[in-house]
Amino acid sequence: VKDVCVDRVTIEDVAARAGVSPTTVSHVFSGHRPVRAETQEVVRRVANELGYRANAVAKSLRTNRTSTVMIVLPDITNPFYPLFARGVQDLLRPSDYQTILCNTDSREQEELAFLEEALARRLDGLVFMGYWVDPERLAAVAESGIAVVNLGEGAGQVDAVSSGDREMAARVTRYLVGRYGPDVAFIDGTSDAPVARSRMAGFRDGRARAPVPDGSVREVSEDFTRLGGRRGMTTLLDAGAPPQAVFCANDLIALGALDVARERGLRVPHDVAIVGWDDIEAAALVSPALTTVRSHPQLLGEASGKLLLSRMTGVYSGPSRSVRVPAELVTRESA
Amino acid sequence: VKDVCVDRVTIEDVAARAGVSPTTVSHVFSGHRPVRAETQEVVRRVANELGYRANAVAKSLRTNRTSTVMIVLPDITNPFYPLFARGVQDLLRPSDYQTILCNTDSREQEELAFLEEALARRLDGLVFMGYWVDPERLAAVAESGIAVVNLGEGAGQVDAVSSGDREMAARVTRYLVGRYGPDVAFIDGTSDAPVARSRMAGFRDGRARAPVPDGSVREVSEDFTRLGGRRGMTTLLDAGAPPQAVFCANDLIALGALDVARERGLRVPHDVAIVGWDDIEAAALVSPALTTVRSHPQLLGEASGKLLLSRMTGVYSGPSRSVRVPAELVTRESA
DNA sequence: GTGAAAGCGCTAACAC
DNA sequence: GTGTTAGCGCTTTCAC
């Protein structure tokens, strides 16, 4: 039959050919009310013959549910995020949700645009990892009926999943102080990012009031990229005596810092210890292998998915929750 | 106003409050026909006040366009694919397409399920990288009005983007033969995958009829993973004399092979040369740095996006095309 | 330059 | 156990 190919077969076509009403066809597939076995048989056979495929768009318009979730991330190309996304997706798959993946490149305008998009498309859920958008806006999205999970320390306005960055950053800093001396430096990523803020705060907690050598710099903000790491490390080294240890806000930064240390003939960790954050695959492969914080991206994703699902299915509808998936320090060679 | 939050503001609400018809409101936003400037002003103001956001689902039902593309991949966690996906997304973004990302984990059932899903959701486009689904099925999807691009050597049924794997694999094999001797082995990924097939074919082209030492194995199929590489290399080495060079179907496999070589005290490339495929970030970071084939995932993605776009916009509607984004050999230390 | 009205394909009361 | 019918919110003829 031609119809199989052109695929404009509607529920009415099936109903007509099967000699039943559209309602019955609908219920055969939804199972929302009992249908006589023989009738079911006929309907399914006819639907098959005609190549009927329920129009999900029409269904969404009617039911007001899209079975779609948006994941907003800085950049899927940063190895941390694919793992996170997989975590979300894997958790949502059994419930037949599809996920739209969006890259903001850490730009405010993109973040806002995607929020609009989520609203316009009437998505069921949103997992958001943003740098610029303030929590109120996220809360407004949630208000409109979309389940929202914020990746990072939530401001208590929407459900949040985090790995307790601040506490962890403090712990790592103290570890460095204890092992290499009090003069520890920090290379931050985009400094206004929530993540960056917490890690920087933790760094300060841990470093306490240790003195900074004259004319030296011990805190510097760059991008969350390898190049950012290079620039940050260069700034640190050019400003005076090298610190005893450098704590980087993520692994890409640490990789860049490692590059610069190598180029300048500094031995790691002997002359300067380096710690990253994320434990991307490359961290274990560089030499010296990178000591880093493993934040379990996939588990974070699954936790986000779980929160989302509980709201989307209506299982939970109370006040905002905050889940913590603790990070761990993976000590390798660089510190 | 309350409505701003609850967000069930429809075009009719705006029309009523602005004292115009829904038609006019629609045209103010679509620009599909001229509207008096003052009227526009009023409509926009009211829409803003009410927090109106056009319902994309309703629009899709009416226009039969979803502005959504599905990208079906084996696994977003394999570093090659995020880059590819970014390529597609970046190219599609200016035209306001959103992309749904799906992981098949190389399972036939998932591949089929996503095709169904794409059909049901009436998506505008599909970029497909599959192992099992045969080209006819893809052609059927295309028939139904969805723009389809196949990543890999297309069977001429739908638009295809590839990097000429077979030719490249032959070239690399000949390079290895020329440099390390005729006894070259190949560790394949999932052997039924189109990619795997082409690379294996190229390997055979390049190896020609070079003799295989007694009792040895020179072709082995595993997964496209590091573990697969470990297993493959182990098989190779356990079966007899080590080959002079090992060509791996991707970098993860090569990394695994490298692990095993290291563990067995084989010097790379002196005792056995190793080549990978993909040039993932880790390839440059391991030691010895991996010689590998760089297949420009992002460019492949962009090429796919371009083909897709030309069909979705109706700019092109002729017979299926095939685009080649040539790969290049990146020679580092391992071969 | 503007409006009325007919659907897009489905679901879910509300009948029977 | 099954059918009738009224929309979901938008776009788009067709009319003025």
Side-chain angles (χ1 to χ4, degrees), chain B residues 91-136:
Chain B
L91 201 124
L92 258 29
R93 167 76 62 82
S95 316
D96 275 327
Y97 284 92
Q98 235 42 264
T99 59
I100 295 186
L101 220 82
C102 303
N103 304 294
T104 62
D105 291 321
S106 313
R107 289 206 306 268
E108 180 173 23
Q109 210 168 0
E110 303 296 330
E111 294 180 2
L112 288 169
F114 288 132
L115 290 187
E116 282 302 312
E117 186 83 16
L119 251 12
R121 292 184 174 235
R122 302 298 194 267
L123 301 185
D124 295 342
L126 173 72
V127 178
F128 192 81
M129 151 79 240
Y131 285 163
W132 311 104
V133 165
D134 64 64
E136 275 89 39

Side-chain angles (χ1 to χ4, degrees), chain A:
Chain A
V1 198
K2 262 284 181 42
D3 303 331
V4 177
C5 291
V6 191
D7 191 30
R8 289 277 161 271
V9 187
T10 76
I11 203 170
E12 304 224 27
D13 300 333
V14 177
R17 193 102 113 87
V20 298
S21 74
T23 309
T24 299
V25 177
S26 173
H27 285 106
V28 165
F29 291 115
S30 71
H32 280 354
R33 85 181 186 192
V35 175
R36 188 154 47 99
E38 303 161 35
T39 314
Q40 289 208 31
E41 188 105 356
V42 178
V43 169
R44 286 189 202 282
R45 189 173 45 67
V46 169
N48 240 338
E49 282 171 20
L50 262 41
Y52 169 69
R53 225 163 322 251
N55 183 329
V57 178
K59 177 188 282 196
S60 290
L61 180 59
R62 192 50 236 251
T63 60
N64 220 7
R65 310 189 68 258
T66 47
S67 299
T68 307
V69 161
M70 179 180 273
I71 306 181
V72 177
L73 302 170
D75 177 16
I76 190 70
T77 270
N78 173 335
F80 176 82
Y81 294 111
L83 288 166
F84 176 78
R86 256 323 288 247
V88 179
Q89 290 174 333
D90 287 349
L91 201 123
L92 258 29
R93 168 75 63 80
S95 316
D96 276 329
Y97 284 93
Q98 236 43 264
T99 59
I100 294 186
L101 221 81
C102 303
N103 304 293
T104 62
D105 292 321
S106 313
R107 289 206 306 268
E108 180 173 25
Q109 210 169 359
E110 302 297 330
E111 293 181 1
L112 289 170
F114 288 132
L115 290 187
E116 283 301 313
E117 185 83 17
L119 252 11
R121 292 184 174 235
R122 302 299 196 266
L123 301 185
D124 295 341
L126 174 71
V127 178
F128 192 81
M129 152 78 240
Y131 285 162
W132 310 104
V133 164
D134 64 65
E136 275 89 39
R137 219 170 246 284
L138 235 43
V141 174
E143 205 89 19
S144 90
I146 299 184
V148 175
V149 171
N150 188 38
L151 178 59
E153 322 280 346
Q157 311 237 27
V158 296
D159 288 347
V161 171
S162 75
S163 43
D165 282 17
R166 179 162 182 171
E167 292 74 7
M168 191 60 199
R171 265 188 53 203
V172 171
T173 307
R174 280 192 291 266
Y175 164 86
L176 289 174
V177 167
R179 188 141 173 195
Y180 300 98
D183 188 13
V184 181
F186 187 73
I187 304 179
D188 204 350
T190 324
S191 62
D192 293 300
V195 219
R197 268 199 292 267
S198 342
R199 291 179 192 172
M200 174 65 95
F203 165 73
R204 288 177 180 161
D205 295 346
R207 194 176 195 276
R209 247 174 286 286
V212 170
D214 276 356
S216 288
V217 177
R218 288 302 175 255
E219 291 178 4
V220 37
S221 284
E222 292 289 346
D223 289 331
F224 279 110
T225 62
R226 190 165 188 168
L227 186 59
R230 296 188 63 93
R231 279 201 300 258
M233 190 63 166
T234 303
T235 306
L236 248 35
L237 296 181
D238 285 350
Q244 296 168 303
V246 177
F247 185 10
C248 303
N250 82 351
D251 282 349
L252 293 177
I253 293 176
L255 257 30
L258 221 49
D259 290 341
V260 173
R262 199 171 9 230
E263 285 163 20
R264 304 227 174 171
L266 293 171
R267 286 160 303 167
V268 177
H270 185 271
D271 298 325
V272 56
I274 293 179
V275 173
W277 194 303
D278 283 346
D279 193 29
I280 62 177
E281 188 178 38
L285 300 170
V286 287
S287 160
L290 194 62
T291 292
T292 185
V293 177
R294 176 183 295 159
S295 34
H296 303 297
Q298 195 140 3
L299 293 181
L300 285 163
E302 287 167 17
S304 305
K306 216 172 288 180
L307 288 180
L308 215 55
L309 203 57
S310 69
R311 284 214 192 258
M312 292 190 301
T313 57
V315 166
Y316 180 86
S317 61
S320 73
R321 299 158 291 174
S322 176
V323 170
R324 179 145 302 181
V325 180
E328 66 180 301
L329 182 66
V330 183
T331 43
R332 288 197 271 248
E333 298 160 13
S334 74

